[in-house]
Amino acid sequence: MSFPPWLNRSRWPTLAVLLALAASACADGPTDTTPPVVPTPVPPVSYVAGQSYFGRNGYVEYIAGNTPVILTAPHGGTLSPSSIPDRTASACGGTATTVTDANTLELVRTMQTRYAARFGTYPHVIISHLARRKLDPNRLQPEAGCGNTEAATALGEWHRYIDLAKSAVLTAHGKGWYMDIHGHGHAVQRLELGYLVTGTQLDGTDAALDASSALENSASILTLSQSSPLPFSALLRGPTSLGSLYAGLGFPAVPSSSDPRPNGAEYFNGGDNTRRHSCGSAAGPLGGTTGGLICGVQIEANFVGVRDNAANRERFADVTAQVLEQYLRVHWGLLLAP
């Protein structure tokens, strides 16, 4: 049996046996109905920074890193295997949204390469190659995979690869930054930075944001905020906030000092990936670490000017590396440059 380059067995050392079993099943008749063994990407596998590793059937890709930044792209995949039924609200619960976040997979790859060009190191990257109508890694079960065992295996791999990246970051750097990359179709062409603070809450005053310990505790930057001398509101939309740094380099963002609140407009404040893999109060119940040393944000990128073509994706990727270098150094003492 031959393997295409992106599924090269030398780059997938823990899953070769599973591939052989899958090939055998296809050759001999109907696939066994026994739930598949879920591979666990942990040592003794040695991961090489900048190299890709894949889960079962190539549904989830992990590009190993060696820097304290983790990027994920849950909604840019296109694989639509017939063995996984389409997700529907009636069958899966929730809204069962199936829209692809166009070009977010390409955007994350570009962010990785431009980061490496700037710093000489690689961020950790996790990509779901399954179409969102088959699996939504940013949802909990049963809405995520509708109870299908093949989708459940991919979902498990998705979170294990992120956990693997987080463990590597903590071991090598002590703390790190997580960004879940999405794309929105809202009318206002701006980045929407989701810290798990709702649009209604952001529509309030700085004083109201700073007076509520519950808001800070639930935010995806809880630990960073607790260690910073700045008020919580300043970290969200002050002059050195992530949004303000993006806006200052040509990418309008909400919240930021120039665009501090959604003002009732459509706005995504972050989903289950950000809840689980950042440091807010929701992390612990979902399997993450509340008050941990991996904080982060969900970025909903507008299409025009960010995702629409290769030149704009590269420009955004270059600016992101620059923004993170300043933001993490100023607010968390985390150095990205050698």
Side-chain angles (χ1 to χ4, degrees):
M1 179 178 181
S2 61
F3 290 78
W6 64 283
L7 282 178
N8 189 281
R9 292 173 85 167
S10 66
R11 297 169 67 183
W12 196 10
T14 60
L15 301 180
V17 173
L18 287 172
L19 269 175
L21 289 174
S24 175
C26 291
D28 296 337
T31 302
D32 192 344
T33 57
T34 303
V37 176
V38 179
T40 305
V42 295
V45 173
S46 177
Y47 293 92
V48 178
Q51 183 166 307
S52 290
Y53 302 85
F54 291 86
R56 184 184 176 100
N57 299 319
Y59 292 159
V60 181
E61 179 181 3
Y62 169 49
I63 309 175
N66 56 358
T67 197
V69 174
I70 302 167
L71 308 174
T72 56
H75 294 159
T78 58
L79 295 180
S80 297
S82 59
S83 53
I84 301 177
D86 288 352
R87 299 169 55 250
T88 64
S90 59
C92 307
T95 58
T97 303
T98 59
V99 177
T100 299
D101 289 356
N103 295 343
T104 50
L105 189 156
E106 294 82 357
L107 181 63
V108 165
R109 288 199 190 280
T110 305
M111 292 168 72
Q112 187 242 20
T113 57
R114 298 312 301 165
Y115 187 105
R118 182 178 181 88
F119 300 118
T121 55
Y122 294 93
H124 299 261
V125 176
I126 299 89
I127 294 168
S128 172
H129 286 282
L130 280 170
R132 194 177 182 186
R133 64 190 178 90
K134 300 296 183 179
L135 175 69
D136 189 339
N138 196 34
R139 296 291 188 271
L140 303 178
Q141 292 282 41
E143 186 180 355
C146 209
N148 177 266
T149 56
E150 196 172 337
T153 296
L155 181 64
E157 291 173 341
W158 166 266
H159 287 298
R160 271 187 293 280
Y161 276 128
I162 299 175
D163 287 339
L164 174 69
K166 289 162 63 178
S167 178
V169 165
L170 293 174
T171 298
H173 307 280
K175 54 189 172 184
W177 184 252
Y178 170 73
M179 293 205 301
D180 196 33
I181 306 300
H182 297 253
H184 72 76
H186 298 159
V188 183
Q189 295 298 292
R190 60 186 175 185
L191 303 175
E192 297 175 7
L193 306 183
Y195 300 98
L196 306 179
V197 178
T198 69
T200 299
Q201 291 163 341
L202 284 174
D203 282 345
T205 64
D206 287 351
L209 288 171
D210 295 334
S212 175
S213 59
L215 282 184
E216 182 181 25
N217 288 339
S218 66
S220 61
I221 56 170
L222 167 62
T223 310
L224 184 152
S225 179
Q226 290 176 331
S227 66
S228 172
L230 293 178
F232 178 56
S233 61
L235 293 172
L236 295 177
R237 57 192 183 197
T240 59
S241 66
L242 198 68
S244 295
L245 295 176
Y246 268 120
L249 291 172
F251 289 94
V254 60
S256 63
S257 55
S258 57
D259 194 0
R261 48 184 62 85
N263 281 322
E266 293 179 297
Y267 165 75
F268 288 122
N269 70 314
D272 288 326
N273 284 331
T274 306
R275 292 185 182 92
R276 175 171 177 167
H277 294 295
S278 63
C279 57
S281 59
L286 293 180
T289 304
T290 296
L293 291 171
I294 302 285
C295 291
V297 67
Q298 175 177 302
I299 295 186
E300 290 277 352
N302 47 292
F303 188 74
V304 177
V306 179
R307 296 182 282 131
D308 51 349
N309 59 55
N312 284 333
R313 291 193 293 270
E314 187 162 310
R315 187 170 65 93
F316 176 77
D318 283 331
V319 164
T320 295
Q322 185 176 345
V323 163
L324 289 181
E325 181 178 17
Q326 182 176 351
Y327 179 82
L328 294 176
R329 173 179 54 81
V330 168
H331 295 298
W332 222 8
L334 192 56
L335 303 180
L336 302 185

